[in-house]
Amino acid sequence: MTYYAHTLEGSPPSEWQLLEDHLEKVAELTARHALAFNASDWGRPLGKAHDVGKYRLKFQDKLVKQSSRRVDHKGVGAKLAWESWGQPGKLLSYCIAGHHGGLPNYGHSQTDNSISLRDLLEQASSLPEETPDPFQDISLPSALPFQPKNAFQIAFFTRMLFSALVDADFLDTERFMDPERYAARSSGPPLVKLLHSLNAKLAGFDSQGRINQLRRDILDLCRENADLEPGLFTLTVPTGGGKTLSSMAFALEHAQKYGHRRIIYVIPYTSIIEQNAKVFRDIFPPDAIVEHHSNFDQRSLPEDRDQFGAGLRHRLACENWDAPVVVTTNVQFFESLYASKTSRCRKLHNMAGSVIILDEAQMLPVEYLKPCLRALEELTENYQASVVLCTATQPALKKRDEFKHGLAGVREIAPDPKRMHQEFLRTRLEDAGTLALEDVAELIRDKEQVLCIVNTRTRASDLFDLVHREPGARHLSALMCPAHRSQELKEIREALRAGGPCRVVSTQLVEAGVDVSFPEVIREMAGLDSIAQAAGRCNREAELKDLGRVTVFTPEEGLASAFRQAAGSAQSTLRHYGDDPFAPEAVEFFFSETYWLQEQLLDKKQILEEFKVPLNWAFRDVANRFRLIENIMCPVIIPYNQEAEQLIERLRFAAAPGGVLRELQHYTVQIYAHQLEALDEAGAIEFVDEQYPVLIDKELYSTQQGLKVPKEPRKSEEFIC
């Protein structure tokens, strides 16, 4: 009997994919993917076993009859692995059971109604006796490629095997079903070519002046330290010290020496990711960079000459991060590490053997800190990755007596942080105490060029209303679509260079990675790391004769609850280190209060608890609980300009809207579900094709403040900038 894996619509069975061929190809690909973490001998049997359920006669009958009825094939392979291959086979059982629907729980789910592995094993059918033996040449290893210390490591290994399998399965299926799409995939240029491009760019940089020379010193030492053995690193560089390119130089040199396969650059906010990605795009060829985040603008790619051009290649590389440089967000990176769905997990095996740069590492979420650190530790310990924690205010994350949950063996790759702090000193901090909003507005009016940063969208809007008639008054928040924010930042930089009036009220989005320099900055009280980031927007190039002034204030109206604990730790730090609150010892004091004294909050969702019992894991529940942004956000498409309006019209008539939606990401604003409902009830939006919300009341989008949304008090609004 002939057994098939996949059919082709409109083609005779002679052109269908043979099951034997599919199993062999997936086995080869899975083994190749798992090679990055020394597990090829696990990948091959996993690939061979994943679809053995398709040998069931009921499944073959379904293919022949082109029937849409469901016939389980996952349970057969999962049961075979669980019962036939001992303890190692049980790891493969999770992967086989989840290779379509996602990694399952072993037992009943607490968060949804998904079927458990235990139930699937009980329900699974056996193969007919006449079934060919697909495992005659296969033997399963008796031990992992490393010596596990705990059940978490075994579960993590299972997750990485799952990634290797599902990516292999997707790729081989695509190769057969859609060969043109498969042929469009490209891994991009080798990293050594990118290193040459970066070195050429850096050679042309200006080394004149004190700040530029300091940046050169940092860069030189990063290159020198690239010879250090792979593992965990910190790059502690004052704001404006050139850490973006210095970290990339370290990563490429380090990869060249130790054979790493790609660079993964992780940034906390989508609102600032565009600037960093543009820096890399100006240096590296377009096919070297994959931007995997919601605000990626497809127009930054070369114009496609056909449907299989650069745009498609980029989208395909986003699926599994098969690219030399991946620029992504904290949300995408860390949520993928604890995801269960196949689409989120495909990329994981490509994190192995990578250099991972965490920009603004102080933004690691406190409530998920322990699971984030354990994942980073695991990637460096057993998956040949190197991780660089890159920041101006290095969080106190090293393992020590006071903080047993920290990272061990971390090495600094920048020059002496204490000396660099003194050399880069460009601001002085003043605490104005408690101020009413009108008093803050008066401070803004008194200055020709000033940046005021507050904690919430609502406070930014209220404060801007008080100063919007002042010359050069501008506003920045995530209620502006990305195209609007980019235009505002361009005009702000032009005003600053020209010496004209420039009074900016902004949320936190301006703090990390946005290259602007004001003579004075005002900052609502927050964590010391946020205040230091705000200070980095003041006198950035040491262009003032004296130190720039940074003023912090506590609002008379009170701080939003999300900021009170960090602000309290910052105020405590200011009392102890008022003369130099950004010194490394002051920063460590602040983070010791933030992390060391809050052990019960560092894994608030008890993610790691689910991986303490070997083989009884709750992959699905963990994925549902591990959400760095918990509140559901909804995109609203903004007819910001003529191009946006034309794209909206294309969306109305698009048979396959995917490409148009990607272009429209540059014209969307993310709001909460209750705010979307309020706009809908007011008749302010239209649902194109009954699912894509488009703003039709243009009076609700201001060229100064962006989208006007309901301001009813919601705790969730405090978290969004």
Side-chain angles (χ1 to χ4, degrees):
M1 178 175 174
T2 303
Y3 298 90
Y4 300 103
H6 300 106
T7 64
L8 283 176
E9 187 175 356
S11 299
S14 60
E15 297 180 13
W16 295 356
Q17 186 181 32
L18 295 176
L19 180 54
E20 181 182 2
D21 289 346
H22 177 61
L23 293 178
E24 182 59 36
K25 295 268 191 323
V26 172
E28 291 174 3
L29 268 177
T30 307
R32 190 186 311 165
H33 291 162
L35 180 63
F37 48 100
N38 299 319
S40 288
D41 50 353
W42 287 78
R44 170 163 281 280
L46 177 57
K48 276 285 211 176
H50 83 287
D51 264 357
V52 294
K54 291 185 176 181
Y55 279 111
R56 290 184 64 195
L57 297 182
K58 283 186 177 181
F59 190 90
Q60 291 300 313
D61 185 58
K62 162 187 159 67
L63 291 183
V64 171
K65 294 180 178 179
Q66 301 286 288
S67 170
S68 60
R69 67 189 177 96
R70 296 184 62 183
V71 178
D72 173 65
H73 70 279
K74 307 183 301 296
V76 177
K79 182 178 181 179
L80 185 66
W82 187 274
E83 295 178 348
S84 305
W85 284 339
Q87 292 291 97
K90 291 174 170 53
L91 309 189
L92 303 195
S93 182
Y94 274 96
C95 301
I96 297 167
H99 79 272
H100 283 296
L103 280 169
N105 289 352
Y106 176 73
H108 179 67
S109 173
Q110 301 298 314
T111 59
D112 59 34
N113 294 319
S114 58
I115 188 170
S116 69
L117 175 60
R118 182 175 55 202
D119 290 341
L120 189 68
L121 294 174
E122 291 177 356
Q123 298 170 13
S125 303
S126 299
L127 289 174
E129 291 184 2
E130 66 272 14
T131 300
D133 180 7
F135 313 124
Q136 56 185 353
D137 302 326
I138 295 295
S139 61
L140 197 64
S142 59
L144 272 63
F146 58 90
Q147 185 62 44
K149 303 173 185 174
N150 49 54
F152 173 80
Q153 292 188 320
I154 303 173
F156 198 95
F157 179 72
T158 303
R159 189 185 299 279
M160 295 296 275
L161 280 177
F162 177 68
S163 171
L165 169 67
V166 294
D167 193 31
D169 191 26
F170 271 105
L171 289 174
D172 185 64
T173 302
E174 180 182 84
R175 179 191 60 79
F176 176 74
M177 303 287 290
D178 194 346
E180 288 185 301
R181 179 183 173 90
Y182 179 80
R185 293 183 180 274
S186 169
S187 297
L191 288 182
V192 65
K193 182 177 180 180
L194 274 62
L195 178 59
H196 294 329
S197 298
L198 180 61
N199 287 339
K201 182 75 172 181
L202 294 172
F205 277 8
D206 184 9
S207 296
Q208 300 300 311
R210 182 175 66 88
I211 296 297
N212 282 335
Q213 186 54 56
L214 288 170
R215 289 170 179 154
R216 175 62 64 177
D217 292 344
I218 292 168
L219 172 64
D220 289 345
L221 193 58
C222 283
R223 284 169 157 165
E224 181 181 328
N225 283 331
D227 285 345
L228 292 172
E229 290 289 325
L232 289 159
F233 303 94
T234 52
L235 176 59
T236 311
V237 174
T239 303
K243 66 180 185 298
T244 300
L245 292 183
S246 292
S247 62
M248 181 58 74
F250 168 86
L252 288 172
E253 296 275 8
H254 189 67
Q256 183 66 15
K257 181 172 180 62
Y258 292 104
H260 291 92
R261 304 182 296 163
R262 63 185 45 80
I263 315 299
I264 302 174
Y265 199 97
V266 187
I267 300 176
Y269 298 128
T270 55
S271 56
I272 63 169
I273 200 170
E274 296 149 329
Q275 177 173 297
N276 294 59
K278 184 178 185 305
V279 171
F280 299 141
R281 285 197 178 278
D282 288 344
I283 298 172
F284 304 134
D287 58 342
I289 309 291
V290 163
E291 292 181 53
H292 194 184
H293 56 92
S294 60
N295 284 351
F296 176 67
D297 185 2
Q298 200 75 23
R299 295 168 304 174
S300 62
L301 298 173
E303 183 176 354
D304 284 357
R305 298 181 184 277
D306 58 63
Q307 61 176 322
F308 300 105
L312 176 60
R313 287 195 297 274
H314 184 277
R315 294 193 295 275
L316 295 175
C318 283
E319 294 176 354
N320 61 0
W321 287 6
D322 186 11
V325 176
V326 178
V327 181
T328 191
T329 60
N330 279 358
V331 171
Q332 181 65 239
F333 181 79
F334 285 108
E335 286 191 1
S336 294
L337 282 166
Y338 285 95
S340 64
K341 292 184 178 179
T342 56
S343 57
R344 297 295 295 272
C345 291
R346 280 185 68 180
K347 66 179 78 71
L348 298 185
H349 71 91
N350 276 329
M351 293 182 186
S354 298
V355 183
I356 300 163
I357 301 171
L358 295 177
D359 194 19
E360 309 300 350
Q362 79 282 355
M363 296 301 298
L364 287 175
V366 174
E367 294 180 350
Y368 296 94
L369 187 67
K370 283 167 63 176
C372 286
L373 294 184
R374 293 291 74 77
L376 294 176
E377 194 172 56
E378 192 62 17
L379 285 168
T380 57
E381 186 173 336
N382 294 314
Y383 297 89
Q384 290 74 57
S386 284
V387 172
V388 183
L389 303 172
C390 186
T391 178
T393 50
Q394 195 63 244
L397 295 178
K398 295 182 181 180
K399 190 184 292 287
R400 62 197 82 195
D401 292 339
E402 307 95 320
F403 191 53
K404 62 183 180 181
H405 305 295
L407 298 167
V410 183
R411 293 153 290 171
E412 177 62 57
I413 58 174
D416 180 3
K418 291 185 178 181
R419 180 176 69 84
M420 284 292 109
H421 164 69
Q422 291 298 326
E423 295 279 5
F424 270 96
L425 194 62
R426 292 154 292 175
T427 61
R428 66 181 186 276
L429 184 68
E430 299 177 7
D431 189 349
T434 301
L435 297 177
L437 209 58
E438 179 56 49
D439 296 328
V440 180
E442 194 58 36
L443 291 178
I444 295 172
R445 296 187 191 104
D446 285 346
K447 303 298 177 183
E448 192 79 359
Q449 292 188 338
V450 60
L451 169 65
C452 181
I453 304 173
V454 293
N455 292 335
T456 67
R457 292 175 173 182
T458 299
R459 185 155 288 152
S461 178
D462 292 344
L463 182 56
F464 184 75
D465 285 341
L466 295 174
V467 301
H468 74 278
R469 297 186 186 278
E470 297 298 316
R474 293 184 179 276
H475 176 272
L476 286 170
S477 89
L479 286 174
M480 298 170 163
C481 65
H484 188 180
R485 288 201 305 268
S486 297
Q487 181 62 31
E488 286 294 308
L489 281 168
K490 178 183 177 183
E491 293 176 8
I492 287 168
R493 293 186 182 105
E494 290 172 352
L496 291 171
R497 281 194 295 268
C502 189
R503 297 173 171 91
V504 178
V505 176
S506 178
T507 59
Q508 298 164 280
L509 69 83
V510 77
E511 285 181 346
V514 177
D515 188 4
V516 292
S517 182
F518 285 80
E520 185 161 341
V521 168
I522 303 167
R523 180 63 167 92
E524 181 180 354
M525 186 61 73
L528 186 69
D529 53 332
S530 294
I531 297 171
Q533 287 293 335
R537 312 311 124 194
C538 180
N539 195 24
R540 191 174 179 86
E541 301 296 324
E543 61 267 29
L544 303 178
K545 293 181 180 179
D546 199 1
L547 296 177
R549 184 163 71 174
V550 178
T551 303
V552 294
F553 72 94
T554 301
E556 190 178 72
E557 300 82 1
L559 291 164
S561 61
F563 299 90
R564 288 173 196 155
Q565 191 281 326
S569 296
Q571 289 169 325
S572 177
T573 306
L574 293 180
R575 287 193 294 272
H576 285 83
Y577 297 92
D579 294 337
D580 194 0
F582 301 140
E585 56 269 25
V587 172
E588 177 156 326
F589 177 88
F590 167 76
F591 280 110
S592 69
E593 290 209 343
T594 304
Y595 296 151
W596 303 355
L597 303 181
Q598 298 189 81
E599 181 175 344
Q600 72 281 5
L601 295 180
L602 302 184
D603 187 7
K604 190 174 181 180
K605 297 296 183 69
Q606 296 188 310
I607 301 298
L608 297 181
E609 290 295 316
E610 298 290 359
F611 298 112
K612 284 192 170 180
V613 180
L615 298 175
N616 189 3
W617 298 313
F619 288 112
R620 184 70 62 107
D621 286 353
V622 164
N624 290 334
R625 295 207 303 262
F626 195 98
R627 291 281 187 268
L628 300 193
I629 299 177
E630 295 188 33
N631 297 289
I632 297 175
M633 302 295 290
C634 307
V636 177
I637 301 170
I638 308 298
Y640 173 66
N641 54 23
Q642 184 177 6
E643 180 180 48
E645 291 177 346
Q646 291 173 347
L647 288 170
I648 291 168
E649 284 304 305
R650 284 175 53 194
L651 181 65
R652 295 182 192 280
F653 303 102
V660 181
L661 288 171
R662 279 184 287 272
E663 293 185 67
L664 279 169
Q665 285 174 346
H666 215 50
Y667 300 103
T668 60
V669 170
Q670 299 285 337
I671 61 175
Y672 293 105
H674 75 272
Q675 294 171 327
L676 182 66
E677 290 172 10
L679 291 175
D680 187 24
E681 290 173 4
I685 57 174
E686 170 196 2
F687 284 88
V688 173
D689 199 21
E690 300 184 355
Q691 58 182 317
Y692 308 116
V694 174
L695 184 71
I696 56 175
D697 186 349
K698 295 185 179 181
E699 291 186 0
L700 291 180
Y701 194 87
S702 162
T703 56
Q704 288 188 308
Q705 296 194 55
L707 183 63
K708 299 175 184 177
V709 295
K711 289 187 178 180
E712 68 263 33
R714 293 275 179 152
K715 183 179 179 181
S716 58
E717 193 167 1
E718 298 168 357
F719 294 86
I720 299 298
C721 55

